[in-house]
């Protein structure tokens, strides 16, 4: 049989979709309902179907291709590493692994200086839990309801959102607390109320039984929830007081997405453990990591670290991460996300002012969301919790027809472009959002 170069597609979009659906499973979906976009190539903030239909990638795929598609610096670094040493097992030392650990130590907060590499975010969180349990000798883990921490068994249990339900009962020992946000109808707790609730749960559970509190620094897929001022500092204080390790899940919020290397820096807090993936390689290759503070790493000098993965510290992924971090630095993408984040905020505010179906907009850096409502006085969401509606489906269809790809979930849609987006590209995307909202405006009572 002749070799097939899948990098040069020979299939039509229709053939790709049909064969993909016949032999592979799509995530979080009943298979008959999925309607994937066939993708052949991507560059910058755009991707294309085999037939040449162009999409603006307004979600950076899965909030992860932060440096944009097809950056030759990363592609070449991967190719070079593949040619020299594609793989070495995790008991060995390699140059990309050595350099990446050192580089991450220089950009992560405080005295976080040691990293365990994984295949992605879920495994980073799994290993953070293991490290916290082994370090503290305690077993309970606090987590929040409006959260997503990944699709593996432990990370599914940490996850608070409905994706967890089908995976229950999950791992033992996970305790959940409320978030400061209670949905668009009820709104936000004050920082003080939110912290008091956490304290109360800790008292009732027994602080001496709790190893860690895991939380997304800015909650991602559950609504771009930016914590109120003082919340993160308060969580840090509570954790310190009780000897509970604070685990910052920065899988989505890290690597410039919020206008800082890591979102936790907005509140000057140093977590004990920090989990990352997505933007670490901008998804050019799979890689996650859990970073730990110096004294936690010291614990594992004489204690065995019980954890391992065949692809831990994969040389090609580490090389991709180093090149990606180089791109953030060389092109000043963290600063750029801050700057373009101001434009995103203004454009979101314009949508909110103009469209009655916009109930709330939230953003930080280039992580943004629009929440849609059908009633301006009750703020009833345009789709129910964990559900959809004809109007949300029509909006998603419109975006797709118009060549704008983004995440449409429940009563929300996301605005998370690659950090390289220009002002004119941003305005081009917002012109489509603006026209789409005419559909949802018609549903407002
Ligand atoms: C905040 C957060 N944590 C963890 C994960 C899981 O990462 P992965 O899918 O790479 O396992 C995600 C993925 O979307 C995420 O958004």
């Amino acid at each position: 049989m002749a070799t097939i170069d899948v990098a040069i597609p020979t299939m039509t979009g229709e053939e790709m979709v049909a064969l993909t659906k016949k032999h592979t499973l799509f995530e979080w979906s009943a298979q008959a309902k999925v309607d994937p976009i066939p993708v052949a190539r991507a560059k910058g903030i755009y991707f294309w179907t085999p037939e040449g239909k162009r999409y603006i990638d307004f979600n950076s795929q899965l909030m992860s291709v932060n440096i944009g598609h097809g950056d030759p610096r990363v592609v070449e670094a991967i190719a070079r590493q593949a040619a020299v040493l594609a793989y070495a097992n995790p008991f060995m030392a390699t140059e990309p692994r050595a350099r990446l650990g050192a580089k991450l130590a220089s950009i992560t907060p405080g005295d976080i200086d040691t990293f365990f590499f994984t295949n992605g975010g879920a495994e980073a969180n799994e290993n953070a839990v293991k490290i916290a349990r082994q370090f503290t000798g305690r077993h309970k883990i606090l987590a929040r309801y409006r959260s997503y921490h990944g699709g593996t068994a432990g990370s599914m249990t940490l996850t608070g959102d409905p994706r967890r339900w089908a995976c229950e009962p999950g791992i033992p020992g996970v305790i959940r607390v409320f978030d400061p946000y209670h949905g668009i109808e009820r709104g936000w707790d004050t920082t003080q109320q939110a912290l008091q609730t956490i304290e109360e749960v800790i008292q009732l559970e027994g602080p001496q039984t709790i190893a860690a509190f895991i939380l997304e620094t800015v909650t991602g897929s559950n609504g771009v929830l930016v914590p109120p001022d003082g919340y993160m500092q308060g969580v840090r204080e509570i954790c310190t007081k009780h000897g509970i390790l604070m685990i910052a899940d920065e899988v989505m919020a890290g690597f410039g997405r919020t206008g800082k290397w890591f979102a936790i820096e907005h509140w000057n807090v140093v977590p004990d453990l920090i989990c990352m993936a997505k933007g670490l390689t901008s998804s050019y290759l799979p890689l996650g990591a859990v970073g730990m503070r110096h004294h936690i790493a010291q614990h594992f000098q004489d204690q065995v670290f019980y954890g391992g993965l065949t692809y831990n510290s994969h040389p090609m992924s580490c090389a991709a991460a180093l090149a990606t971090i180089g791109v953030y630095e060389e092109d000043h993408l963290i600063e750029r996300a801050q700057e373009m984040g101001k434009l995103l905020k203004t454009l979101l505010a314009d949508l909110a002012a103009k469209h009655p179906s916009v109930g709330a907009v939230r953003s930080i850096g280039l992580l943004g969301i629009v929440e849609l409502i059908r009633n301006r006085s009750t703020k009833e969401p345009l789709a129910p919790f964990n559900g959809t509606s004809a109007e949300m489906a029509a909006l998603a269809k419109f975006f797709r027809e118009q060549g704008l790809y983004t995440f449409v979930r429940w009563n929300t849609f996301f605005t998370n472009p690659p950090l390289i987006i220009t002002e004119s590209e941003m305005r081009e995307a917002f012109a489509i959002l603006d026209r789409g909202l005419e559909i949802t405006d018609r549903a407002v009572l």
Side-chain angles (χ1 to χ4, degrees), residues 17-81:
V17 170
L19 196 59
T20 306
K21 287 190 68 167
K22 187 165 177 205
H23 294 291
T24 72
L25 271 189
F26 283 85
E27 22 186 278
W28 313 116
S29 310
Q31 303 300 303
K33 287 197 181 150
V34 297
D35 183 17
I37 303 174
V39 188
R41 65 195 175 87
K43 186 76 187 166
I45 68 150
Y46 300 107
F47 65 87
W48 286 266
T49 68
E51 285 71 30
K53 179 172 165 112
R54 193 193 77 172
Y55 286 86
I56 300 172
D57 189 353
F58 217 48
N59 199 52
S60 309
Q61 289 301 307
L62 219 41
M63 299 86 162
S64 59
V65 186
N66 292 5
I67 63 165
H69 296 277
D71 191 302
R73 291 164 288 186
V74 181
V75 175
E76 280 157 25
I78 293 170
R80 273 199 307 274
Q81 188 59 45

Side-chain angles (χ1 to χ4, degrees), residues 88 115 188 249 268 374 416 421:
F115 300 84
W188 292 86
D249 181 343
N268 289 320
R374 69 168 73 249
N416 308 318
I421 194 166

Side-chain angles (χ1 to χ4, degrees), residues 352-368:
K354 180 170 172 192
H355 293 282
S357 58
V358 174
V361 291
R362 292 184 289 277
S363 73
I364 178 166
L366 287 175
L367 183 60

